[in-house]
Amino acid sequence: MRILLVEDHVELSHWVSKALRDANLTVECAATGADADALLHTQDYALVILDLTLPRMDGLDVLRRLRARGGARGGTPVLILTARGGLEDKVQGLNLGADDYLAKPFELAELEARVKALLRRRSGNEALVHRCGQLAFDTVSRMFSYCGEPLALTPREHAVLEALIARPGRALSKEKLFHEVFALDDDVNLDAIELYIHRIRKKLERPGGDAAIVTLRGIGYLMQEKPA
């Protein structure tokens, strides 16, 4: 899941983005409101974590412009993370369309829990565990298990498999997977998806394993349970 973190405090941005990446999330960072607005105009994100006091454009203006665009991008979930924790700012943010509001200082565990809840809500499936046959993904621990055992994955493999298992029975194009897994500054090309799909398939090949990634030529990839 690709997240945009909009935060001008360099140390805090580094700390939060590292924690989210450790939770197998792809994070892009913007340090100004104008940069965030430009990214949100052209890129798709699963979630935006938005500070309010930003240079070059206030966070509330970023939120207002995002919601005014409408469509899928305009509906991107937004978690406001700010030191402006007064009632007036909170009410204004929620009225402009923020999905959640967390005041600084905050506990990292609470931020991670709120992020996970918003991502589950966005996927249209609030189940705590996604399953495909013997493959399971716990959205709270953010861990995969397969045939009753932990499934060891690299962060990129994890991101690809999460995107697929969160949409059971639905095909995802290579382009869609690429944009969900990689940040804009990652030095990779579209063919990297094929490499990660190949690696995941090898890890799913085990006795009793019944989960498979199917290639639909010209359409994309589909996660499904193997026929009995």
Side-chain angles (χ1 to χ4, degrees), residues 69-226:
R69 291 187 190 110
R73 283 182 183 151
T76 303
V78 174
L79 168 61
I80 291 178
L81 183 66
T82 181
R84 285 159 51 179
L87 179 61
E88 182 177 350
D89 284 315
K90 183 173 183 179
V91 169
Q92 188 176 6
L94 294 173
N95 284 340
L96 285 173
D99 298 88
D100 202 353
Y101 198 109
L102 184 59
K104 301 174 184 176
F106 60 92
E107 294 292 335
L108 184 58
E110 182 178 5
L111 174 63
E112 291 182 352
R114 289 175 183 245
V115 165
K116 292 172 184 177
L118 287 171
L119 291 175
R120 287 197 300 270
R121 191 184 310 166
R122 175 187 178 273
S123 71
N125 185 352
E126 299 214 34
L128 295 180
V129 179
H130 300 320
R131 299 184 184 277
C132 179
Q134 294 295 315
L135 178 67
F137 175 62
D138 188 315
T139 63
V140 176
S141 67
R142 299 195 57 76
M143 299 294 291
F144 277 96
S145 62
Y146 193 43
C147 301
E149 299 178 355
L151 181 62
L153 299 164
T154 67
R156 297 300 189 205
E157 293 167 356
H158 188 288
V160 170
L161 193 55
E162 180 183 350
L164 291 169
I165 200 171
R167 301 168 176 86
R170 292 165 52 192
L172 282 182
S173 68
K174 185 191 296 186
E175 291 79 7
K176 178 67 173 175
L177 274 173
F178 182 84
H179 289 302
E180 289 209 11
V181 171
F182 295 103
L184 288 175
D185 56 356
D186 286 334
D187 187 19
V188 293
N189 60 39
L190 194 60
D191 292 337
I193 291 297
E194 296 181 10
L195 173 63
Y196 289 112
I197 291 290
H198 173 75
R199 291 177 177 175
I200 295 169
R201 281 173 170 158
K202 297 291 289 183
K203 293 183 177 183
L204 294 178
E205 292 176 357
R206 63 172 63 177
D210 58 359
I213 300 174
V214 178
T215 301
L216 302 177
R217 192 169 300 277
I219 299 176
Y221 301 98
L222 177 71
M223 188 90 233
Q224 69 177 26
E225 185 177 352
K226 294 178 182 177

Side-chain angles (χ1 to χ4, degrees), residues 7-109:
E7 171 60 62
D8 66 327
H9 190 288
V10 176
E11 186 176 352
L12 179 60
S13 177
H14 173 76
W15 175 57
V16 172
S17 60
K18 181 181 185 303
L20 295 174
R21 289 181 181 122
D22 288 345
N24 296 303
L25 295 165
T26 301
V27 183
E28 291 178 9
C29 298
T32 74
D35 288 344
D37 183 61
L39 287 170
L40 291 169
H41 192 70
T42 60
Q43 302 296 315
D44 295 319
Y45 296 97
L47 176 68
V48 181
I49 301 176
L50 179 65
D51 190 11
L52 293 186
T53 306
L54 296 166
R56 297 178 57 202
M57 186 183 295
D58 186 77
L60 290 176
D61 290 327
V62 174
L63 176 59
R64 185 182 292 108
R65 289 168 62 87
L66 173 65
R67 293 295 184 244
R69 291 187 190 110
R73 283 182 183 151
T76 303
V78 174
L79 168 61
I80 291 178
L81 183 66
T82 181
R84 285 159 51 179
L87 179 61
E88 182 177 350
D89 284 315
K90 183 173 183 179
V91 169
Q92 188 176 6
L94 294 173
N95 284 340
L96 285 173
D99 298 88
D100 202 353
Y101 198 109
L102 184 59
K104 301 174 184 176
F106 60 92
E107 294 292 335
L108 184 58

